[in-house]
Amino acid sequence: MQTKVVAPAVEPSSEGETSVAVRGVRRAFRGTHREPLVALAGVDLHVGANEVLGVVGPSGCGKSTLLELVAGLQEPDGGSVEVAGRSPAKARRELCAFMPQRDLLLPWRDALGNAALALECQGVPRGEARSRAAPLLERFGLGGFEAARPAQLSGGMRQRVAFMRTLLPGRPVLLLDEPFASLDSITRASMQAWLADALATEPRTVLLVTHDVEEALFLSDRVAVLSARPGRVVQELEVPMPRPRDRRAAVTDPALARLRERALEVLGS
Amino acid sequence: MRRWLPASALLLLFLGAWAWLASLPSVDDLTLASPAEVWGAFGDDRDLLLDNARVTLVEVLLGLAISIVAGVSFAVAMHLSRTLRDATYPLLVASQAVPIVVLAPIFVLAFDYGMGPKLAIVALICFFPITVNVLDGLRSVEQDHLKLMRSFGASRVRTLRSVEVPAALPSFFSGLRVAATVSVIGAVFGEWAGADEGLGRLVLLGNNQLQTPRVYAGVVLLTLMAVALFTLVTLLERLTCPWNRTERTA
Amino acid sequence: MKRTQCLLIPALLLAMAVLAAGCGEKKDTITAGETREMSLLLDYFPNADHAGIYAAQAGGHFRDAGLEVAIRQPADPAAPIKQVVAGRVDLAVSYEPEVLRARDKGLKVVAVAALVREPLTSIVSLPGARIRSPKDLAGKTVGTAGIDYQSAYLRTILKDAGVDPAQVKERNVGFNLTPALLTGKVDAVLGAFWNYEGTELRQKGRKPRIIRVNDAGVPTYDELVLVANEDALDRDGDKIRAFIGALARGTKDLRASPDKGIQGLLEANRDLDPRLQREVVKVTLPLFLPEKGKPFGYQDPREWQEFTRWARQNEIVRKLPDASGAFTNDFLPGSGL
């Protein structure tokens, strides 16, 4: 299994002011007991254009729900969600590229077909979509695996295919839900490095949900810490180091170390 | 090659038991023909048996084709419309409980004598397992996949095409396997309601005319037909759903 | 001396004749005190054609004859002959052509009495088809049950009427003869009974047109016969004789009061329409009973031979030379009714 990934060539550039604004968002679900399950209880977030916001929080704090709200897959019960100043769900969906926690590759499509899926859904003819996806597979270190079926790929390879699928349509906002959670630490490290480089070369507005504080600090401009359910933003941290960051520097830098302490402290309480 | 061994052994055992049973004095040969007598009937009545088998096979294949079209259409329609599903599902279930004896004359009234009633009966018996299985297959698609497609901005048709239908293919073949197996007996019932040709008719008349070896030869042919259809469906599935197989061996 | 001697010989002869007649008088009852079991398999669901049997049962005649008779219904149309040959039942109700066919195959089945001594099979049509005689069948569709000898009846009838068989379309309608006729899918059906389906259609106001097969060129035969296993005749002869005797008495009851007589039948099969059954029994009664001077259940050898000849010509039987051995009148009650 190849672990080396190379930064992709220039892709269609995102448009100007694609910020994400989440104001006072409430979201509750019908719980199993009479009371509703409140996932988010008044969340305020802002992600500037081409900014990377890391979102950390304990399990079940509504991080995934938050992403789906931004992505236009759900509507808030209270408050508002805007992407590039647009609030209709359809508009949000068109601007956001959503990468869920599981790779959700279709077993009946080969790797190339899976990578091309989102493009095809947008109306791009199959042949063209596949040829747009092919160079990306190469660059992600999956050259030679175009015709492989998901069952034949390792977890890390599948996650990479899912990533390609997310990136190919070239949407300005990336919503990543724990994209590296299922990878082993070696692959995770190299994928983080690749993403850091990719975002430096090819800036996008990114909401990165992760349970790994280190990862958030490595990749994000700012980190928002969510409380346990019902979720609220309890802390926002600014990461002063410019991107892309050197791994060793990120780990040893005292300012970052303090931020890490702070975040863990908040999470622990 | 080795996988055929247990089945062959069992078959030989069965033939032996059959031959032994038929040889018992308490079992008269009007009731049970021995394997040797049946083999003889294949020799004597070969043309008769094969000609009638051909007729029944056509009824089976056409009836199955109709049931596939009907079954898949019902399933997709019921999948797309909740109202339709609530309205029609009970009726479809009820359709399976009505005895063929009652339905056959109605079909004859509708289609006149000829292939019509037989195709109708085969289709009636076979569409149901296909409908139920395809519907279940379509509904078994995970919500997460549908959410993902929505996030891509995929149209309803696109989602059906790329996700739901392929996901439902293995279930379709499950249903088709059942349908293929019962299609043969469906054709026989259809012929019993009035036919000029066919193995079902041959078996019925042979029984009335005390031609027991011919009856059993007809039954053997019907059995072979069902097994062949079942095998064909399994082969088709292997060809069209290769990912299913790979998953199991991985 | 000579005078007495002259008288003696006639007296002796008379005594011998009386004795011979007495011996010839076949035993049709079993000594009181014995009860023997007997099984009878019908040819079809209990219906008016079996009225005599059920009248004998209900009137206690089997019991009086020392028999306990179990009446069974067949699982399939071929069961009566099969079960008798296999020795699973003592007696069964079957049809003359099927008896001949079975004997042609070398099966040891014998007809021991005629239950209905003339054909009931007919060509039945509705007025709309405008079939008044066999000649009118030209250009029409006739539904049959796919039974080979019935198709042969049709061929014979057409030949007799001078109709080209190619002008008549024969369709296999399974056993749904009446529905096929009523839905107009066929112009006429062959295989329905004039006493049963004919009466049924008449009672429903359909005005059926009926051509009996024996009126149209088919030699007469016994529609329903009682059959037994040939090898069992020696062993069970007494039983069989007793059975037929009791049956004769039951049929006599039926003739005396038909309404009372069919009670047994109606109880055995509660699905039956009493009005229909009464009417069917009324029109069939003359055929349950023998011709004047003949014993109950008499099977006419000449008729059997003629029918066998017809069966040979039409390839219903291939090897059977004649009717001998296929039937016997040895077990009929001593005197006619």
Side-chain angles (χ1 to χ4, degrees):
Chain A
M1 185 189 72
Q2 286 198 33
T3 55
K4 186 163 184 284
V5 287
V6 180
V10 176
E11 270 142 8
S13 49
S14 46
E15 265 111 48
E17 295 298 310
T18 25
S19 59
V20 175
V22 174
R23 294 188 195 95
V25 156
R26 272 185 56 88
R27 185 78 175 108
F29 299 103
R30 218 187 1 231
T32 42
H33 316 288
R34 289 299 193 70
E35 286 139 35
L37 196 73
V38 182
L40 301 168
V43 172
D44 285 292
L45 280 180
H46 179 84
V47 191
N50 297 339
E51 196 186 4
V52 179
L53 178 73
V55 178
V56 298
S59 304
C61 69
K63 307 195 292 287
S64 298
T65 309
L66 180 62
L67 275 190
E68 288 193 14
L69 282 166
V70 175
L73 293 172
Q74 290 186 36
E75 282 299 320
D77 295 320
S80 70
V81 181
E82 278 176 13
V83 176
R86 326 254 312 271
S87 54
K90 187 157 184 287
R92 305 206 301 270
R93 285 202 294 271
E94 282 167 9
L95 290 165
C96 297
F98 177 60
M99 182 165 158
Q101 250 177 314
R102 298 158 53 209
D103 57 70
L104 294 179
L105 296 187
L106 300 178
W108 44 87
R109 282 186 171 231
D110 57 16
L112 195 60
N114 268 293
L117 182 62
L119 281 179
E120 282 182 46
C121 289
Q122 290 179 320
V124 176
R126 190 160 158 254
E128 192 191 322
R130 284 174 73 93
S131 55
R132 290 214 333 224
L136 211 59
L137 250 94
E138 282 279 348
R139 285 183 239 112
F140 269 66
L142 289 170
F145 285 91
E146 287 87 351
R149 296 207 183 266
Q152 296 164 312
L153 302 172
S154 70
M157 293 159 104
R158 288 206 293 271
Q159 204 69 359
R160 278 182 265 165
V161 174
F163 228 136
M164 287 176 244
R165 181 185 67 205
T166 315
L167 293 177
L168 271 165
R171 290 178 176 179
V173 179
L174 282 183
L175 305 171
L176 308 174
D177 194 348
E178 310 213 29
F180 308 127
S182 58
L183 302 177
D184 63 272
S185 52
I186 299 171
T187 318
R188 195 184 316 150
S190 62
M191 289 298 286
Q192 287 165 350
W194 169 81
L195 183 59
D197 283 336
L199 290 175
T201 327
E202 225 332 279
R204 311 251 189 137
T205 310
V206 181
L207 247 110
L208 171 69
V209 161
T210 177
H211 62 266
D212 184 344
V213 174
E214 295 266 8
E215 181 175 283
L217 291 172
F218 180 64
L219 292 167
S220 324
D221 296 315
R222 285 182 303 121
V223 175
V225 181
L226 253 56
S227 68
R229 201 192 315 130
R232 281 191 189 81
V233 179
V234 290
Q235 181 85 99
E236 271 201 41
L237 305 165
E238 185 99 23
V239 186
M241 204 184 269
R243 291 192 287 117
R245 295 167 189 141
D246 180 72
R247 170 78 63 185
R248 206 164 344 121
V251 167
T252 54
D253 185 288
L256 257 58
R258 271 199 299 278
L259 286 176
R260 184 169 56 244
E261 293 294 324
R262 186 83 187 94
L264 290 172
E265 202 181 286
V266 172
L267 281 169
S269 56
Chain B
M1 213 53 219
R2 274 234 239 109
R3 291 191 38 213
W4 291 105
L5 222 54
S8 311
L10 199 62
L11 186 65
L12 281 171
L13 201 69
F14 170 74
L15 280 172
W18 176 8
W20 172 76
L21 251 175
S23 69
L24 290 178
S26 57
V27 176
D28 68 286
D29 33 278
L30 282 183
T31 311
L32 180 66
S34 71
E37 287 173 323
V38 172
W39 185 258
F42 274 118
D44 301 331
D45 295 328
R46 191 186 44 196
D47 290 333
L48 185 68
L49 286 165
L50 288 181
D51 287 340
N52 280 286
R54 204 169 300 132
V55 171
T56 304
L57 188 62
V58 170
E59 293 164 5
V60 165
L61 291 175
L62 283 177
L64 264 178
I66 297 172
S67 69
I68 291 173
V69 171
V72 172
S73 312
F74 277 137
V76 172
M78 295 202 297
H79 178 65
L80 291 175
S81 159
R82 176 85 206 233
T83 323
L84 191 70
R85 179 163 83 235
D86 291 341
T88 52
Y89 220 148
L91 286 175
L92 292 180
V93 172
S95 77
Q96 299 301 296
V98 183
I100 302 288
V101 173
V102 171
L103 287 173
I106 298 176
F107 286 147
V108 167
L109 183 64
F111 302 113
D112 206 348
Y113 292 103
M115 263 242 175
K118 288 110 190 155
L119 297 185
I121 291 173
V122 173
L124 178 72
I125 293 184
C126 294
F127 91 88
F128 191 70
I130 295 176
T131 304
V132 170
N133 275 282
V134 171
L135 188 59
D136 282 351
L138 287 169
R139 292 170 70 180
S140 73
V141 174
E142 293 179 64
Q143 275 306 306
D144 287 345
H145 273 121
L146 299 176
K147 239 190 275 184
L148 187 67
M149 293 299 277
R150 231 174 11 121
S151 78
F152 297 154
S155 68
R156 190 80 189 81
V157 173
R158 162 59 67 176
T159 307
L160 257 178
R161 243 178 74 192
S162 298
V163 178
E164 289 164 304
V165 167
L169 266 180
S171 301
F172 165 70
F173 281 108
S174 276
L176 188 58
R177 255 196 295 271
V178 174
T181 317
V182 296
S183 62
V184 174
I185 204 70
V188 169
F189 285 149
E191 289 175 18
W192 284 357
D196 295 318
E197 294 179 289
L199 277 181
R201 175 180 175 274
L202 190 74
V203 164
L204 187 64
L205 291 188
N207 187 47
N208 291 350
Q209 292 170 19
L210 308 171
Q211 284 154 326
T212 315
R214 186 186 294 180
V215 168
Y216 278 87
V219 168
V220 167
L221 274 181
L222 288 168
T223 315
L224 286 175
M225 215 182 275
V227 171
L229 284 167
F230 183 92
T231 312
L232 194 67
V233 172
T234 309
L235 278 171
L236 254 160
E237 181 181 10
R238 285 226 192 108
L239 282 172
T240 46
C241 302
W243 69 88
N244 235 13
R245 217 163 27 124
T246 331
E247 252 172 48
R248 269 180 270 160
T249 55
Chain C
M1 212 40 205
K2 231 176 172 196
R3 247 201 173 182
T4 3
Q5 276 180 343
C6 279
L7 274 174
L8 201 58
I9 294 168
L12 265 169
L13 282 169
L14 189 61
M16 274 162 68
V18 170
L19 259 156
C23 285
E25 178 76 42
K26 296 164 184 127
K27 223 159 65 118
D28 59 8
T29 52
I30 298 173
T31 26
E34 303 170 28
T35 309
R36 290 157 78 184
E37 283 182 349
M38 198 154 205
S39 51
L40 169 71
L41 185 62
L42 300 177
D43 63 306
Y44 200 49
F45 302 118
N47 62 70
D49 292 332
H50 308 131
I53 298 170
Y54 282 100
Q57 180 89 297
H61 296 293
F62 290 134
R63 198 187 344 110
D64 293 341
L67 297 172
E68 194 179 306
V69 176
I71 304 174
R72 304 206 195 118
Q73 297 174 37
D76 78 271
I81 301 245
K82 283 199 216 172
Q83 300 272 24
V84 160
V85 166
R88 293 253 162 72
V89 291
D90 298 308
L91 294 170
V93 178
S94 185
Y95 313 109
E96 184 171 331
E98 302 220 357
V99 172
L100 292 177
R101 205 210 341 249
R103 289 210 60 95
D104 192 49
K105 285 184 140 65
L107 300 173
K108 303 280 189 105
V109 61
V110 183
V112 294
L115 297 177
V116 176
R117 63 176 168 82
E118 272 183 21
L120 298 172
T121 309
S122 320
I123 298 180
V124 179
S125 61
L126 298 177
R130 279 199 268 278
I131 298 172
R132 260 178 252 274
S133 79
K135 267 202 236 304
D136 301 326
L137 287 171
K140 301 281 198 298
T141 311
V142 178
T144 64
I147 299 174
D148 57 347
Y149 51 85
Q150 291 188 342
S151 299
Y153 294 160
L154 183 62
R155 281 197 303 277
T156 303
I157 290 171
L158 293 179
K159 186 149 162 260
D160 199 71
V163 176
D164 177 10
Q167 287 203 304
V168 178
K169 197 160 165 46
E170 185 182 338
R171 301 225 71 152
N172 183 331
V173 301
F175 289 103
N176 306 317
L177 291 173
T178 314
L181 189 64
L182 290 175
T183 55
K185 292 294 176 186
V186 293
D187 298 309
V189 291
L190 188 151
F193 283 1
W194 59 258
N195 67 332
Y196 206 93
E197 281 86 355
T199 307
E200 195 175 32
L201 287 168
R202 206 172 25 248
Q203 281 188 347
K204 286 197 162 72
R206 294 300 218 271
K207 302 205 215 318
R209 297 236 174 95
I210 298 183
I211 304 170
R212 305 187 190 187
V213 296
N214 51 320
D215 288 339
V218 176
T220 189
Y221 60 90
D222 301 330
E223 190 68 62
L224 256 63
V225 293
L226 193 67
V227 298
N229 187 312
E230 189 174 18
D231 292 335
L233 287 180
D234 293 329
R235 185 191 69 205
D236 293 337
D238 289 348
K239 264 196 340 187
I240 295 173
R241 197 169 285 120
F243 180 92
I244 300 176
L247 181 60
R249 283 188 279 281
T251 311
K252 198 170 150 197
D253 286 353
L254 199 61
R255 179 178 61 182
S257 56
D259 288 345
K260 186 156 162 287
I262 65 166
Q263 284 314 306
L265 170 68
L266 294 175
E267 257 156 57
N269 190 348
R270 288 170 201 275
D271 295 328
L272 297 174
D273 169 16
R275 190 170 146 251
L276 174 63
Q277 304 308 314
R278 257 197 293 277
E279 184 67 28
V280 175
V281 166
K282 201 167 119 205
V283 299
T284 322
L285 206 50
L287 301 185
F288 291 151
L289 302 164
E291 284 176 317
K292 217 162 159 44
K294 296 279 192 294
F296 178 83
Y298 183 69
Q299 298 159 103
D300 188 320
R302 254 196 326 256
E303 286 176 4
W304 273 75
Q305 292 290 23
E306 183 56 37
F307 189 74
T308 306
R309 198 177 5 251
W310 174 87
R312 268 186 79 102
Q313 273 171 355
N314 285 273
E315 297 188 337
I316 306 299
V317 299
R318 272 164 238 267
K319 295 190 225 130
L320 207 65
D322 55 44
S324 55
F327 69 98
T328 172
N329 289 319
D330 289 348
F331 298 91
L332 305 179
S335 46
L337 284 173

